[in-house]
Amino acid sequence: MLQIIPETPAIHADAIETLFDATFGPGHFAKTAERLREYSRSLPEISRVAVLDGEVIGVCRVWPLRVGPARHRALFYGPVAVAPSHRGGRLGLTVTGEAIEAGTAAGWPAAILIGAPAYFGEIGFTVTPKHQLSFPGPQDPARVMVRDLASDASVLSGLVTAA
């Protein structure tokens, strides 16, 4: 039976890292998004894992961010990964949607995600206007998306940094 549950680092961390390596390869550490994660800690109470028969087959990790000179609080969703044997369905959207619900319930105001607009648009993410958000490294602005959680995500503007 498939379960979507909060991450428990002591139980899931190794399996999640193995899933990230299988999904993204060793080059994923070079991405700009990793600059936001390397000096931060994920929020396991908001992150979600998909577990099938005791095996982690999907994950959406979530990280705290600050945005712009006003230092607005936001959550950074990703990486989102699904085991190769379970791709092609909607598991990535399901696990991300569950993490969105957890972030909303926890009172976070907004979500940021870097990904495919056609895919993540299905769960309410929209592409930000070009140059509204900047990152600590190069980033394709066509893949930068936001979503309201408890307030208006359109107020987010400026440099995105780790919390």
Side-chain angles (χ1 to χ4, degrees), residues 10-23:
I11 297 171
H12 303 124
D14 290 342
I16 289 170
E17 291 305 318
T18 299
L19 182 57
F20 288 158
D21 289 343
T23 302

Side-chain angles (χ1 to χ4, degrees), residues 92-127:
L93 292 177
T94 300
V95 75
T96 304
E98 294 278 337
I100 289 288
E101 288 181 19
T104 301
W108 284 84
I112 297 173
L113 184 140
I114 299 171
Y119 187 71
F120 290 105
E122 290 187 36
I123 57 172
F125 281 93
T126 60
V127 175

Side-chain angles (χ1 to χ4, degrees), residues 2-127:
L2 178 68
Q3 296 178 296
I4 309 290
I5 58 175
E7 178 184 347
T8 302
I11 297 171
H12 303 124
D14 290 342
I16 289 170
E17 291 305 318
T18 299
L19 182 57
F20 288 158
D21 289 343
T23 302
F24 304 113
H28 75 94
F29 291 108
K31 292 182 177 183
T32 294
E34 286 299 320
R35 302 298 67 82
L36 295 171
R37 296 180 190 116
E38 68 188 347
Y39 297 110
S40 186
R41 295 173 65 151
S42 66
L43 301 171
E45 67 276 13
I46 298 174
S47 299
R48 291 295 183 261
V49 293
V51 179
L52 181 64
D53 299 326
E55 178 186 356
V56 173
I57 61 165
V59 63
C60 175
R61 274 231 173 115
V62 182
W63 310 77
L65 295 175
R66 294 291 182 169
V67 181
R71 309 256 313 135
H72 289 285
R73 293 177 346 124
L75 291 174
F76 189 39
Y77 282 75
V80 176
V82 175
S85 58
H86 291 84
R87 289 188 194 142
R90 300 180 55 83
L91 185 56
L93 292 177
T94 300
V95 75
T96 304
E98 294 278 337
I100 289 288
E101 288 181 19
T104 301
W108 284 84
I112 297 173
L113 184 140
I114 299 171
Y119 187 71
F120 290 105
E122 290 187 36
I123 57 172
F125 281 93
T126 60
V127 175

